[in-house]
Amino acid sequence: MEAKIQELTDKIYREGVEKGEAEAKKLLSDAEAKAAAIVKEATAQAEKITADAKKQAAELKTKTESEIKLSGAQAVAAIKNQIVSLVTAKVINESATKTLSDAGTLKEFVSTVVSNWKAGGEAPKLEVLLPAAKQDELGKAFEAGASAALKVGFSKDIKGGFKIGPADGSFKISLTDADFQEFFKEYLRPRTRAYLFGE
């Protein structure tokens, strides 16, 4: 009987060990599967983070390059405009100021305007404003041969050229050096730009 008890004990022991080993194998297999899933998920997240970082870096690079190109184009355009402005200002401003500062030329301009100004067949009484800085020189030129239909005045606001209109002040036509400069700048800029930059 003792042998049967020993045999039974051995059998129970073997079955317990086998069951324990099977459970241990299952636990180990489950742990390995979970570890593999965790590693796979971590790898996927790392790849996604890397892909997102690369995408953001590429977008930042593209935006930065675009901004640099735009800034460069704007800087070149601004420099071109400054060059054109300097060239046209030098040519136009000096010429207009010189031409409209000459007493004889100015008197001729005013005479032409007065002679061609007709309202209802006869010229109205007109008033011309001239630069106050040239009052002595221009006053003498306009006194000689002054018309009764023309009143001559001087203004500090006018640097060169003249303003003319009816004596009642209802309106004035401005033909100052600043007016001529602005008028000619409109026409010279495209040609000057084409000459300077081949545009």
mmCIF file of all heavy atoms in Angstrom, residues 46-87:
data_model
loop_
_atom_site.group_PDB
_atom_site.id
_atom_site.type_symbol
_atom_site.label_atom_id
_atom_site.label_comp_id
_atom_site.label_asym_id
_atom_site.label_seq_id
_atom_site.Cartn_x
_atom_site.Cartn_y
_atom_site.Cartn_z
ATOM 1 N N ALA A 46 6.980 55.708 -33.326
ATOM 2 C CA ALA A 46 8.264 56.347 -33.628
ATOM 3 C C ALA A 46 8.343 56.693 -35.117
ATOM 4 O O ALA A 46 8.794 57.789 -35.493
ATOM 5 C CB ALA A 46 9.418 55.422 -33.229
ATOM 6 N N GLU A 47 7.877 55.787 -35.977
ATOM 7 C CA GLU A 47 7.894 56.044 -37.423
ATOM 8 C C GLU A 47 6.958 57.203 -37.781
ATOM 9 O O GLU A 47 7.285 58.041 -38.622
ATOM 10 C CB GLU A 47 7.499 54.776 -38.190
ATOM 11 C CG GLU A 47 8.590 53.706 -38.194
ATOM 12 C CD GLU A 47 8.139 52.394 -38.833
ATOM 13 O OE1 GLU A 47 6.943 52.281 -39.192
ATOM 14 O OE2 GLU A 47 8.983 51.495 -38.952
ATOM 15 N N LYS A 48 5.777 57.240 -37.114
ATOM 16 C CA LYS A 48 4.834 58.333 -37.362
ATOM 17 C C LYS A 48 5.431 59.665 -36.918
ATOM 18 O O LYS A 48 5.334 60.680 -37.629
ATOM 19 C CB LYS A 48 3.515 58.070 -36.635
ATOM 20 C CG LYS A 48 2.452 59.117 -36.914
ATOM 21 C CD LYS A 48 1.178 58.811 -36.161
ATOM 22 C CE LYS A 48 0.066 59.789 -36.458
ATOM 23 N NZ LYS A 48 0.362 61.162 -36.301
ATOM 24 N N ILE A 49 6.035 59.680 -35.729
ATOM 25 C CA ILE A 49 6.662 60.912 -35.234
ATOM 26 C C ILE A 49 7.771 61.364 -36.176
ATOM 27 O O ILE A 49 7.873 62.546 -36.523
ATOM 28 C CB ILE A 49 7.199 60.703 -33.794
ATOM 29 C CG1 ILE A 49 6.025 60.566 -32.817
ATOM 30 C CG2 ILE A 49 8.119 61.845 -33.378
ATOM 31 C CD1 ILE A 49 6.422 60.094 -31.432
ATOM 32 N N THR A 50 8.574 60.423 -36.648
ATOM 33 C CA THR A 50 9.658 60.749 -37.583
ATOM 34 C C THR A 50 9.090 61.281 -38.903
ATOM 35 O O THR A 50 9.577 62.280 -39.439
ATOM 36 C CB THR A 50 10.522 59.497 -37.857
ATOM 37 O OG1 THR A 50 11.017 59.004 -36.615
ATOM 38 C CG2 THR A 50 11.685 59.810 -38.771
ATOM 39 N N ALA A 51 8.029 60.629 -39.407
ATOM 40 C CA ALA A 51 7.410 61.072 -40.669
ATOM 41 C C ALA A 51 6.811 62.469 -40.510
ATOM 42 O O ALA A 51 6.979 63.329 -41.388
ATOM 43 C CB ALA A 51 6.342 60.078 -41.119
ATOM 44 N N ASP A 52 6.134 62.718 -39.370
ATOM 45 C CA ASP A 52 5.559 64.047 -39.117
ATOM 46 C C ASP A 52 6.648 65.107 -39.030
ATOM 47 O O ASP A 52 6.501 66.211 -39.568
ATOM 48 C CB ASP A 52 4.728 64.040 -37.824
ATOM 49 C CG ASP A 52 3.424 63.273 -37.975
ATOM 50 O OD1 ASP A 52 3.042 62.949 -39.114
ATOM 51 O OD2 ASP A 52 2.800 62.985 -36.922
ATOM 52 N N ALA A 53 7.731 64.778 -38.347
ATOM 53 C CA ALA A 53 8.842 65.733 -38.204
ATOM 54 C C ALA A 53 9.455 66.042 -39.569
ATOM 55 O O ALA A 53 9.755 67.206 -39.882
ATOM 56 C CB ALA A 53 9.906 65.168 -37.257
ATOM 57 N N LYS A 54 9.622 65.012 -40.408
ATOM 58 C CA LYS A 54 10.177 65.230 -41.752
ATOM 59 C C LYS A 54 9.242 66.101 -42.588
ATOM 60 O O LYS A 54 9.682 66.992 -43.309
ATOM 61 C CB LYS A 54 10.405 63.892 -42.464
ATOM 62 C CG LYS A 54 11.624 63.137 -41.967
ATOM 63 C CD LYS A 54 11.794 61.830 -42.718
ATOM 64 C CE LYS A 54 13.013 61.073 -42.224
ATOM 65 N NZ LYS A 54 13.155 59.754 -42.872
ATOM 66 N N LYS A 55 7.915 65.831 -42.468
ATOM 67 C CA LYS A 55 6.933 66.607 -43.220
ATOM 68 C C LYS A 55 6.955 68.070 -42.780
ATOM 69 O O LYS A 55 6.957 68.983 -43.610
ATOM 70 C CB LYS A 55 5.536 66.013 -43.012
ATOM 71 C CG LYS A 55 4.447 66.702 -43.791
ATOM 72 C CD LYS A 55 3.099 66.067 -43.516
ATOM 73 C CE LYS A 55 1.990 66.851 -44.203
ATOM 74 N NZ LYS A 55 0.664 66.374 -43.832
ATOM 75 N N GLN A 56 6.983 68.307 -41.468
ATOM 76 C CA GLN A 56 7.036 69.678 -40.948
ATOM 77 C C GLN A 56 8.316 70.382 -41.374
ATOM 78 O O GLN A 56 8.300 71.559 -41.728
ATOM 79 C CB GLN A 56 6.911 69.677 -39.417
ATOM 80 C CG GLN A 56 5.516 69.341 -38.934
ATOM 81 C CD GLN A 56 5.434 69.230 -37.420
ATOM 82 O OE1 GLN A 56 6.431 69.333 -36.725
ATOM 83 N NE2 GLN A 56 4.231 69.011 -36.915
ATOM 84 N N ALA A 57 9.425 69.666 -41.342
ATOM 85 C CA ALA A 57 10.703 70.251 -41.760
ATOM 86 C C ALA A 57 10.662 70.619 -43.242
ATOM 87 O O ALA A 57 11.137 71.687 -43.645
ATOM 88 C CB ALA A 57 11.850 69.280 -41.481
ATOM 89 N N ALA A 58 10.059 69.748 -44.071
ATOM 90 C CA ALA A 58 9.956 70.030 -45.506
ATOM 91 C C ALA A 58 9.056 71.243 -45.755
ATOM 92 O O ALA A 58 9.373 72.103 -46.586
ATOM 93 C CB ALA A 58 9.414 68.806 -46.244
ATOM 94 N N GLU A 59 7.923 71.320 -45.017
ATOM 95 C CA GLU A 59 7.018 72.468 -45.164
ATOM 96 C C GLU A 59 7.707 73.761 -44.730
ATOM 97 O O GLU A 59 7.583 74.794 -45.395
ATOM 98 C CB GLU A 59 5.747 72.252 -44.336
ATOM 99 C CG GLU A 59 4.809 71.215 -44.924
ATOM 100 C CD GLU A 59 3.627 70.908 -44.011
ATOM 101 O OE1 GLU A 59 3.552 71.473 -42.893
ATOM 102 O OE2 GLU A 59 2.773 70.094 -44.408
ATOM 103 N N LEU A 60 8.435 73.699 -43.612
ATOM 104 C CA LEU A 60 9.160 74.877 -43.125
ATOM 105 C C LEU A 60 10.213 75.312 -44.139
ATOM 106 O O LEU A 60 10.365 76.506 -44.419
ATOM 107 C CB LEU A 60 9.802 74.572 -41.767
ATOM 108 C CG LEU A 60 10.581 75.714 -41.129
ATOM 109 C CD1 LEU A 60 9.665 76.898 -40.837
ATOM 110 C CD2 LEU A 60 11.255 75.246 -39.844
ATOM 111 N N LYS A 61 10.904 74.344 -44.715
ATOM 112 C CA LYS A 61 11.926 74.655 -45.725
ATOM 113 C C LYS A 61 11.285 75.326 -46.938
ATOM 114 O O LYS A 61 11.780 76.341 -47.436
ATOM 115 C CB LYS A 61 12.642 73.370 -46.147
ATOM 116 C CG LYS A 61 13.727 73.595 -47.174
ATOM 117 C CD LYS A 61 14.349 72.287 -47.621
ATOM 118 C CE LYS A 61 15.343 72.549 -48.738
ATOM 119 N NZ LYS A 61 15.731 71.370 -49.453
ATOM 120 N N THR A 62 10.158 74.766 -47.411
ATOM 121 C CA THR A 62 9.467 75.333 -48.580
ATOM 122 C C THR A 62 8.988 76.752 -48.295
ATOM 123 O O THR A 62 9.178 77.658 -49.118
ATOM 124 C CB THR A 62 8.268 74.437 -48.967
ATOM 125 O OG1 THR A 62 8.748 73.124 -49.223
ATOM 126 C CG2 THR A 62 7.560 74.961 -50.183
ATOM 127 N N LYS A 63 8.371 76.953 -47.120
ATOM 128 C CA LYS A 63 7.882 78.288 -46.760
ATOM 129 C C LYS A 63 9.038 79.276 -46.645
ATOM 130 O O LYS A 63 8.944 80.416 -47.109
ATOM 131 C CB LYS A 63 7.111 78.230 -45.436
ATOM 132 C CG LYS A 63 5.740 77.622 -45.556
ATOM 133 C CD LYS A 63 5.044 77.587 -44.203
ATOM 134 C CE LYS A 63 3.693 76.896 -44.292
ATOM 135 N NZ LYS A 63 3.035 76.777 -42.993
ATOM 136 N N THR A 64 10.119 78.839 -45.996
ATOM 137 C CA THR A 64 11.275 79.721 -45.829
ATOM 138 C C THR A 64 11.871 80.104 -47.173
ATOM 139 O O THR A 64 12.183 81.277 -47.413
ATOM 140 C CB THR A 64 12.342 79.036 -44.940
ATOM 141 O OG1 THR A 64 11.739 78.669 -43.699
ATOM 142 C CG2 THR A 64 13.515 79.950 -44.685
ATOM 143 N N GLU A 65 12.014 79.120 -48.070
ATOM 144 C CA GLU A 65 12.553 79.410 -49.410
ATOM 145 C C GLU A 65 11.644 80.381 -50.158
ATOM 146 O O GLU A 65 12.129 81.306 -50.810
ATOM 147 C CB GLU A 65 12.721 78.109 -50.206
ATOM 148 C CG GLU A 65 13.894 77.264 -49.748
ATOM 149 C CD GLU A 65 13.966 75.910 -50.460
ATOM 150 O OE1 GLU A 65 13.004 75.543 -51.179
ATOM 151 O OE2 GLU A 65 14.986 75.229 -50.286
ATOM 152 N N SER A 66 10.318 80.168 -50.057
ATOM 153 C CA SER A 66 9.366 81.067 -50.730
ATOM 154 C C SER A 66 9.474 82.484 -50.182
ATOM 155 O O SER A 66 9.482 83.456 -50.948
ATOM 156 C CB SER A 66 7.936 80.565 -50.548
ATOM 157 O OG SER A 66 7.767 79.333 -51.194
ATOM 158 N N GLU A 67 9.560 82.605 -48.858
ATOM 159 C CA GLU A 67 9.670 83.925 -48.239
ATOM 160 C C GLU A 67 10.974 84.612 -48.635
ATOM 161 O O GLU A 67 10.997 85.823 -48.891
ATOM 162 C CB GLU A 67 9.559 83.811 -46.716
ATOM 163 C CG GLU A 67 8.151 83.528 -46.247
ATOM 164 C CD GLU A 67 8.040 83.361 -44.739
ATOM 165 O OE1 GLU A 67 8.993 83.720 -44.020
ATOM 166 O OE2 GLU A 67 6.996 82.870 -44.286
ATOM 167 N N ILE A 68 12.055 83.838 -48.695
ATOM 168 C CA ILE A 68 13.346 84.418 -49.087
ATOM 169 C C ILE A 68 13.289 84.886 -50.540
ATOM 170 O O ILE A 68 13.751 85.989 -50.869
ATOM 171 C CB ILE A 68 14.488 83.402 -48.872
ATOM 172 C CG1 ILE A 68 14.720 83.204 -47.369
ATOM 173 C CG2 ILE A 68 15.764 83.847 -49.564
ATOM 174 C CD1 ILE A 68 15.659 82.082 -47.023
ATOM 175 N N LYS A 69 12.685 84.072 -51.420
ATOM 176 C CA LYS A 69 12.558 84.474 -52.827
ATOM 177 C C LYS A 69 11.708 85.729 -52.956
ATOM 178 O O LYS A 69 12.048 86.645 -53.705
ATOM 179 C CB LYS A 69 11.946 83.336 -53.650
ATOM 180 C CG LYS A 69 12.895 82.196 -53.946
ATOM 181 C CD LYS A 69 12.202 81.100 -54.736
ATOM 182 C CE LYS A 69 13.120 79.906 -54.942
ATOM 183 N NZ LYS A 69 12.455 78.777 -55.598
ATOM 184 N N LEU A 70 10.572 85.758 -52.235
ATOM 185 C CA LEU A 70 9.684 86.919 -52.288
ATOM 186 C C LEU A 70 10.393 88.166 -51.760
ATOM 187 O O LEU A 70 10.329 89.226 -52.372
ATOM 188 C CB LEU A 70 8.413 86.648 -51.477
ATOM 189 C CG LEU A 70 7.401 87.775 -51.421
ATOM 190 C CD1 LEU A 70 6.870 88.086 -52.827
ATOM 191 C CD2 LEU A 70 6.248 87.425 -50.502
ATOM 192 N N SER A 71 11.088 88.016 -50.636
ATOM 193 C CA SER A 71 11.821 89.151 -50.066
ATOM 194 C C SER A 71 12.896 89.639 -51.036
ATOM 195 O O SER A 71 13.095 90.844 -51.205
ATOM 196 C CB SER A 71 12.471 88.754 -48.740
ATOM 197 O OG SER A 71 11.491 88.434 -47.793
ATOM 198 N N GLY A 72 13.586 88.699 -51.673
ATOM 199 C CA GLY A 72 14.612 89.070 -52.651
ATOM 200 C C GLY A 72 14.008 89.824 -53.831
ATOM 201 O O GLY A 72 14.536 90.853 -54.268
ATOM 202 N N ALA A 73 12.877 89.316 -54.341
ATOM 203 C CA ALA A 73 12.205 89.983 -55.476
ATOM 204 C C ALA A 73 11.729 91.373 -55.078
ATOM 205 O O ALA A 73 11.858 92.328 -55.854
ATOM 206 C CB ALA A 73 11.029 89.133 -55.962
ATOM 207 N N GLN A 74 11.189 91.501 -53.858
ATOM 208 C CA GLN A 74 10.728 92.810 -53.389
ATOM 209 C C GLN A 74 11.904 93.768 -53.224
ATOM 210 O O GLN A 74 11.796 94.955 -53.558
ATOM 211 C CB GLN A 74 9.969 92.661 -52.063
ATOM 212 C CG GLN A 74 8.610 92.025 -52.223
ATOM 213 C CD GLN A 74 7.931 91.744 -50.889
ATOM 214 O OE1 GLN A 74 8.570 91.615 -49.860
ATOM 215 N NE2 GLN A 74 6.617 91.631 -50.921
ATOM 216 N N ALA A 75 13.024 93.262 -52.711
ATOM 217 C CA ALA A 75 14.201 94.121 -52.537
ATOM 218 C C ALA A 75 14.720 94.601 -53.891
ATOM 219 O O ALA A 75 15.041 95.782 -54.061
ATOM 220 C CB ALA A 75 15.295 93.361 -51.784
ATOM 221 N N VAL A 76 14.781 93.697 -54.867
ATOM 222 C CA VAL A 76 15.246 94.073 -56.214
ATOM 223 C C VAL A 76 14.293 95.105 -56.824
ATOM 224 O O VAL A 76 14.737 96.108 -57.401
ATOM 225 C CB VAL A 76 15.367 92.819 -57.113
ATOM 226 C CG1 VAL A 76 15.556 93.200 -58.572
ATOM 227 C CG2 VAL A 76 16.526 91.942 -56.642
ATOM 228 N N ALA A 77 12.987 94.875 -56.684
ATOM 229 C CA ALA A 77 11.999 95.826 -57.236
ATOM 230 C C ALA A 77 12.133 97.196 -56.567
ATOM 231 O O ALA A 77 12.066 98.229 -57.240
ATOM 232 C CB ALA A 77 10.583 95.280 -57.054
ATOM 233 N N ALA A 78 12.332 97.192 -55.245
ATOM 234 C CA ALA A 78 12.478 98.467 -54.526
ATOM 235 C C ALA A 78 13.732 99.205 -54.985
ATOM 236 O O ALA A 78 13.713 100.427 -55.189
ATOM 237 C CB ALA A 78 12.530 98.221 -53.024
ATOM 238 N N ILE A 79 14.821 98.471 -55.166
ATOM 239 C CA ILE A 79 16.074 99.099 -55.629
ATOM 240 C C ILE A 79 15.893 99.643 -57.044
ATOM 241 O O ILE A 79 16.315 100.764 -57.350
ATOM 242 C CB ILE A 79 17.241 98.095 -55.564
ATOM 243 C CG1 ILE A 79 17.576 97.811 -54.092
ATOM 244 C CG2 ILE A 79 18.461 98.613 -56.301
ATOM 245 C CD1 ILE A 79 18.524 96.657 -53.883
ATOM 246 N N LYS A 80 15.236 98.868 -57.908
ATOM 247 C CA LYS A 80 14.981 99.342 -59.276
ATOM 248 C C LYS A 80 14.156 100.630 -59.256
ATOM 249 O O LYS A 80 14.458 101.579 -59.976
ATOM 250 C CB LYS A 80 14.243 98.275 -60.088
ATOM 251 C CG LYS A 80 15.115 97.142 -60.574
ATOM 252 C CD LYS A 80 14.280 96.180 -61.410
ATOM 253 C CE LYS A 80 15.113 95.050 -61.963
ATOM 254 N NZ LYS A 80 14.309 94.130 -62.786
ATOM 255 N N ASN A 81 13.106 100.634 -58.424
ATOM 256 C CA ASN A 81 12.263 101.830 -58.334
ATOM 257 C C ASN A 81 13.052 103.028 -57.839
ATOM 258 O O ASN A 81 12.859 104.147 -58.319
ATOM 259 C CB ASN A 81 11.060 101.575 -57.418
ATOM 260 C CG ASN A 81 9.992 100.751 -58.104
ATOM 261 O OD1 ASN A 81 9.922 100.708 -59.326
ATOM 262 N ND2 ASN A 81 9.177 100.084 -57.330
ATOM 263 N N GLN A 82 13.940 102.808 -56.876
ATOM 264 C CA GLN A 82 14.761 103.914 -56.372
ATOM 265 C C GLN A 82 15.696 104.437 -57.454
ATOM 266 O O GLN A 82 15.865 105.650 -57.602
ATOM 267 C CB GLN A 82 15.557 103.471 -55.142
ATOM 268 C CG GLN A 82 14.700 103.319 -53.911
ATOM 269 C CD GLN A 82 15.491 102.839 -52.712
ATOM 270 O OE1 GLN A 82 16.652 102.466 -52.816
ATOM 271 N NE2 GLN A 82 14.856 102.851 -51.554
ATOM 272 N N ILE A 83 16.290 103.520 -58.212
ATOM 273 C CA ILE A 83 17.191 103.942 -59.300
ATOM 274 C C ILE A 83 16.414 104.746 -60.339
ATOM 275 O O ILE A 83 16.849 105.821 -60.764
ATOM 276 C CB ILE A 83 17.878 102.713 -59.953
ATOM 277 C CG1 ILE A 83 18.872 102.095 -58.969
ATOM 278 C CG2 ILE A 83 18.583 103.103 -61.242
ATOM 279 C CD1 ILE A 83 19.436 100.757 -59.416
ATOM 280 N N VAL A 84 15.247 104.223 -60.745
ATOM 281 C CA VAL A 84 14.428 104.931 -61.733
ATOM 282 C C VAL A 84 14.026 106.300 -61.203
ATOM 283 O O VAL A 84 14.095 107.305 -61.913
ATOM 284 C CB VAL A 84 13.180 104.090 -62.110
ATOM 285 C CG1 VAL A 84 12.199 104.908 -62.921
ATOM 286 C CG2 VAL A 84 13.596 102.851 -62.887
ATOM 287 N N SER A 85 13.607 106.344 -59.929
ATOM 288 C CA SER A 85 13.199 107.621 -59.331
ATOM 289 C C SER A 85 14.353 108.607 -59.303
ATOM 290 O O SER A 85 14.171 109.790 -59.599
ATOM 291 C CB SER A 85 12.674 107.395 -57.911
ATOM 292 O OG SER A 85 11.485 106.657 -57.944
ATOM 293 N N LEU A 86 15.533 108.125 -58.952
ATOM 294 C CA LEU A 86 16.695 109.021 -58.900
ATOM 295 C C LEU A 86 17.050 109.549 -60.294
ATOM 296 O O LEU A 86 17.314 110.739 -60.466
ATOM 297 C CB LEU A 86 17.902 108.293 -58.300
ATOM 298 C CG LEU A 86 17.831 108.012 -56.805
ATOM 299 C CD1 LEU A 86 18.991 107.113 -56.378
ATOM 300 C CD2 LEU A 86 17.865 109.305 -56.012
ATOM 301 N N VAL A 87 17.035 108.637 -61.272
ATOM 302 C CA VAL A 87 17.389 109.055 -62.634
ATOM 303 C C VAL A 87 16.347 110.039 -63.173
ATOM 304 O O VAL A 87 16.697 111.113 -63.677
ATOM 305 C CB VAL A 87 17.508 107.821 -63.568
ATOM 306 C CG1 VAL A 87 17.618 108.244 -65.018
ATOM 307 C CG2 VAL A 87 18.725 106.993 -63.175
#
